[in-house]
Amino acid sequence: ALNNMSASSIEYSINSSKLGPRNAEVAYNVIYHTVLAGDIQRNIVIHLTNEDGGWKVQWEDGLILPELAGGNLLRMDYSVPARGDIYNKDGQPIVSQADAFAFGIQTEQIDDKRRGVLTDQLARLCGYTQKYIEDQIDANGPGWYLPMCEGTRDEALSLLSVSPGGLVVTEYKSRYYFGNGIAPQSVGYTLSIPPEQYDAYRRLGYNGSEKVGRAGVEKWAEKYLAGQHGGVLHVFSPGGQPISTLGQSDPKPADSVYLTLDGNMQKYAQQAIEFYRGAIVVMEVDTGRILAIASGPRFDPNYFDPANKNYGAISDFNQPLLNRATQGQYPLGSAFKPITFSAALESGLYLKDTTYDCQYDFAELTDRVLHDWTWQHCQDAIAAGKFCNTSTTKPSGVLTLQEGLMRSCNPYFWHIGLDLYKNWNRGNDIANMARAFGLGAQTGIGEVEESTGQINNPPSDVDAVNQAIGQGDMQVTPLQVARFMAAIANGGTLFRPQIVEKIQPIDGSPVLVFKPEAQGVLSLNPNNLTSLQEALLMVTQNSRGTAAFKLRGLQFDVAGKTGTAESGNGLSHAWFAGYTLNKENTGKPDIAIAVIVENIGEGSEYAVPLFRAMVETYYYGSPQSVPSFGPIGQPPYTPTPLGGGQGNQP
């Protein structure tokens, strides 16, 4: 009865009571606050009997509502508005209610003479390579249905006009996710109401058959995207005859959600990371507005529609549903060194010009010797029959603190970590600085699920040394990293990352509009912040900087830090996090970008080119250079999930 009424809450009061040795009665007033039928208020009398020393209710359905006495029933006739749409910041649709078409291949129906046409057309539409589709056909053989992707009516008509044998086109009405999923881990998806939440949704006015947001913006914006259901609450006799109407309400159309995402930036961010496990986050430094947020590998939310035969195509092997941009938790590697740099300056024990002789080995710990990344490069050169006489194979030598960050000298930062911990009783300084940079806590994005990460105080000198270069038990998310890089760029303000630009009703003004939300400031005095900004610029512009080689020829000023984090599970994670410095020259807001690629190798080799591609896309409209490991949008490399580590890399 509560479900049928859409009763969100109940209010009651006792009016009177009569008590006898064996019988009692209580008069009470009850108010059902319903979502669809308004408040329903009744005065009711309940009778009780004392049996074996305990009071028992003389039950009848009229104790719920007098109208239900004699076996009468409640029934709600629902009016459900169409679910609202989701758009990018330019008004291009990301999700809408639409006629959709699922495309697949029935292998035994393939016309061998036109097989190339079939695979070519599907490759163009679905974003696969033609060889990939050919391999799937050969591997499965005749008698199999191979799901490919989804598309619009125009795309279906275009495919059918070619008439390749073996093509299967299935039409269905559904919530359609354009582009086979734009930022799918952040936009989210809809599914049927789970059984354990069925009653709760019915009390909110749902009839129980709807699909509801189960992740990302779809879940966060449910109250906007679902609209206001309408309903008429009837009383029916046991034989099904209408008796009376208890209340009613009219439906109200759903609102639309506009995201901050830039369609072009998002497209290229997805193409850059979709064949890897990793993430890219692009954020305006002065607002917290997210322009692109990509997690790889991605998935197609259209697969969740029961009318679509592709549901089984979502594999858990690489966890495509995990939003690595906000939920992936990783050691940060050398991209953490700006925080150690900051803690060193703020301690007053180091100046930007304090020097350290950066050699291959670090022998200040009593029980072990650690090696700089240049030592590993030297070993690789020797194994290849070469000499250790290049800038990446010989020791960096005497460096100032700023140059130590530029060269990503591990021994210098190990020394800082050990010095603060062991000699000055300041072992928590680096962890405290990391927390002040927003690590180890949620960013407050709200619209998207996120993880907290982890920053612990080091319990030993070894832990302090590891933490100083972003290793050990540290865990951070790419969103946290983009956020603190944005704060460095804008002068120290930590903004709340946001992905919703506005909530727009069909008529009238927006009910929610993006506003920058400052949440805190970096714990750096202005001079030390300037020193950090200078050092990060040296990383990209000085010929000895660890990112300079892969950024040569870039026509825009950028600053940042490379990172190569040991994963403990195969090849290292490649990081690069940085920001642009071109607002005055271009008139466009400066942006911060965080890139991680899991289990692939060095940040300077793999993450910096993707960072560059995002910068070029922001200013030119598309990437202008091809990464050395393969073109954007094609699967040039399959990361090895297991294997040996690569040592401490920049």
Side-chain angles (χ1 to χ4, degrees):
L2 294 173
N3 287 355
N4 287 331
M5 277 190 277
S6 68
S8 58
S9 63
I10 305 170
E11 188 179 336
Y12 71 91
S13 60
I14 304 298
N15 297 332
S16 64
S17 61
K18 294 179 181 179
L19 179 65
R22 300 185 60 82
N23 298 287
E25 66 177 38
V26 178
Y28 61 94
N29 176 268
V30 63
I31 304 174
Y32 296 102
H33 299 291
T34 78
V35 175
L36 302 183
D39 286 351
I40 301 173
Q41 181 172 342
R42 297 290 186 270
N43 290 310
I44 304 173
V45 176
I46 186 171
H47 296 279
L48 302 99
T49 300
N50 194 318
E51 293 182 2
D52 301 324
W55 290 101
K56 306 292 180 67
V57 173
Q58 296 181 21
W59 176 256
E60 59 169 321
D61 291 342
L63 298 179
I64 301 173
L65 286 173
E67 289 87 346
L68 298 184
N72 292 335
L73 303 170
L74 291 177
R75 190 182 80 185
M76 183 76 76
D77 288 338
Y78 293 87
S79 298
V80 181
R83 191 170 178 86
D85 298 335
I86 301 177
Y87 301 92
N88 68 17
K89 72 181 185 67
D90 299 317
Q92 298 168 333
I94 294 175
V95 194
S96 72
Q97 300 296 112
D99 292 333
F101 295 80
F103 306 120
I105 300 172
Q106 198 66 44
T107 55
E108 74 275 10
Q109 298 176 9
I110 294 174
D111 181 351
D112 290 338
K113 294 181 180 179
R114 296 185 59 78
R115 172 168 160 165
V117 176
L118 171 67
T119 56
D120 175 67
Q121 292 295 315
L122 285 175
R124 293 172 184 271
L125 176 63
C126 299
Y128 298 123
T129 63
Q130 188 173 3
K131 183 179 185 304
Y132 170 81
I133 300 177
E134 294 276 2
D135 289 345
Q136 291 296 303
I137 294 172
D138 293 337
N140 286 274
W144 288 90
Y145 175 78
L146 305 179
M148 289 288 111
C149 64
E150 296 69 36
T152 63
R153 181 178 297 277
D154 288 343
E155 289 168 335
L157 292 174
S158 176
L159 272 180
L160 291 170
S161 68
V162 181
S163 300
L167 174 68
V168 178
V169 179
T170 305
E171 181 178 3
Y172 61 99
K173 279 188 175 293
S174 178
R175 188 154 182 76
Y176 179 66
Y177 294 82
F178 288 81
N180 298 318
I182 296 170
Q185 293 90 348
S186 296
V187 170
Y189 49 87
T190 59
L191 288 175
S192 298
I193 296 171
E196 66 274 13
Q197 298 179 25
Y198 178 80
D199 288 345
Y201 275 98
R202 290 293 305 277
R203 310 284 172 86
L204 294 173
Y206 289 71
N207 66 24
S209 67
E210 301 93 338
K211 288 188 174 182
V212 297
R214 295 285 293 276
V217 174
E218 287 272 31
K219 180 179 180 180
W220 175 85
E222 177 66 24
K223 66 179 180 180
Y224 303 110
L225 294 171
Q228 177 63 58
H229 289 42
V232 182
L233 184 61
H234 301 285
V235 179
F236 280 79
S237 70
Q241 300 302 312
I243 297 175
S244 63
T245 298
L246 300 185
Q248 66 182 65
S249 63
D250 295 326
K252 296 180 181 178
D255 301 330
S256 293
V257 177
Y258 286 76
L259 303 184
T260 61
L261 299 180
D262 178 283
N264 194 55
M265 289 292 292
Q266 182 65 38
K267 179 183 76 170
Y268 282 108
Q270 285 189 196
Q271 287 186 6
I273 204 69
E274 68 178 324
F275 293 108
Y276 303 92
R277 295 187 302 270
I280 296 175
V281 179
V282 182
M283 178 190 304
E284 287 183 356
V285 303
D286 292 323
T287 64
R289 182 182 276 109
I290 295 176
L291 301 184
I293 184 166
S295 176
R298 68 183 181 96
F299 68 97
D300 187 345
N302 295 302
Y303 287 173
F304 287 116
D305 194 289
N308 190 331
K309 299 178 182 179
N310 288 356
Y311 187 88
I314 297 180
S315 167
D316 288 335
F317 176 73
N318 283 317
Q319 296 181 286
L321 299 183
L322 176 67
N323 191 343
R324 287 172 164 83
T326 64
Q327 294 175 298
Q329 299 181 92
Y330 310 91
L332 186 50
S334 293
F336 181 82
K337 287 175 181 173
I339 294 173
T340 304
F341 178 100
S342 300
L345 289 179
E346 288 295 320
S347 73
L349 301 170
Y350 293 83
L351 303 174
K352 69 177 184 179
D353 295 324
T354 301
T355 59
Y356 181 89
D357 189 7
C358 186
Q359 296 299 316
Y360 284 141
D361 298 337
F362 178 78
E364 296 179 33
L365 290 170
T366 57
D367 61 342
R368 67 196 70 191
V369 174
L370 303 176
H371 301 298
D372 186 39
W373 63 270
T374 53
W375 178 87
Q376 181 63 56
H377 278 226
C378 178
Q379 304 310 302
D380 294 340
I382 292 172
K386 300 178 181 179
F387 295 102
C388 298
N389 56 2
T390 68
S391 63
T392 60
T393 58
K394 62 184 180 182
S396 298
V398 177
L399 302 170
T400 65
L401 182 57
Q402 285 184 315
E403 291 170 337
L405 188 66
M406 173 192 74
R407 288 292 295 160
S408 200
C409 169
N410 285 328
Y412 200 160
F413 287 85
W414 284 325
H415 171 75
I416 293 171
L418 184 62
D419 188 34
L420 293 175
Y421 182 90
K422 186 176 180 180
N423 299 326
W424 298 100
N425 195 28
R426 303 182 70 109
N428 297 338
D429 276 19
I430 294 174
N432 290 336
M433 184 62 70
R435 288 187 281 265
F437 272 57
L439 302 183
Q442 292 187 346
T443 66
I445 186 173
E447 305 98 327
V448 178
E449 299 85 353
E450 67 170 330
S451 299
T452 300
Q454 176 176 278
I455 298 293
N456 294 327
N457 294 331
S460 70
D461 55 358
V462 173
D463 292 295
V465 165
N466 276 330
Q467 185 179 74
I469 65 161
Q471 293 291 164
D473 61 4
M474 167 188 310
Q475 298 283 292
V476 305
T477 71
L479 182 63
Q480 291 171 343
V481 177
R483 179 176 178 240
F484 84 63
M485 273 295 174
I488 294 172
N490 68 34
T493 301
L494 287 163
F495 284 100
R496 181 174 81 85
Q498 298 182 64
I499 197 173
V500 172
E501 186 69 36
K502 64 179 179 178
I503 307 292
Q504 179 65 57
I506 288 182
D507 298 313
S509 301
V511 296
L512 184 151
V513 178
F514 176 93
K515 293 180 180 179
E517 295 182 25
Q519 294 178 309
V521 294
L522 301 181
S523 297
L524 283 171
N525 73 48
N527 289 335
N528 289 341
L529 178 58
T530 298
S531 296
L532 175 59
Q533 292 168 336
E534 291 171 351
L536 293 176
L537 191 60
M538 293 165 65
V539 171
T540 64
Q541 293 193 349
N542 189 290
S543 61
R544 299 180 72 201
T546 55
F549 182 73
K550 291 294 183 179
L551 293 174
R552 68 192 190 283
L554 182 65
Q555 299 301 305
F556 300 97
D557 290 334
V558 297
K561 183 68 188 77
T562 53
T564 305
E566 291 184 8
S567 66
N569 182 24
L571 293 173
S572 301
H573 301 323
W575 279 98
F576 188 81
Y579 51 87
T580 64
L581 295 157
N582 306 286
K583 183 178 180 179
E584 293 184 1
N585 297 329
T586 65
K588 300 189 69 170
D590 281 316
I591 55 174
I593 304 169
V595 178
I596 182 173
V597 187
E598 294 181 20
N599 301 120
I600 192 171
E602 295 187 12
S604 57
E605 184 70 22
Y606 294 100
V608 173
L610 299 186
F611 170 89
R612 176 175 183 152
M614 292 299 97
V615 172
E616 291 173 341
T617 298
Y618 186 61
Y619 291 113
Y620 291 127
S622 64
Q624 303 297 296
S625 53
V626 177
S628 60
F629 54 92
I632 297 293
Q634 295 186 29
Y637 178 80
T638 301
T640 304
L642 296 173
Q646 289 293 298
N648 297 299
Q649 302 289 352

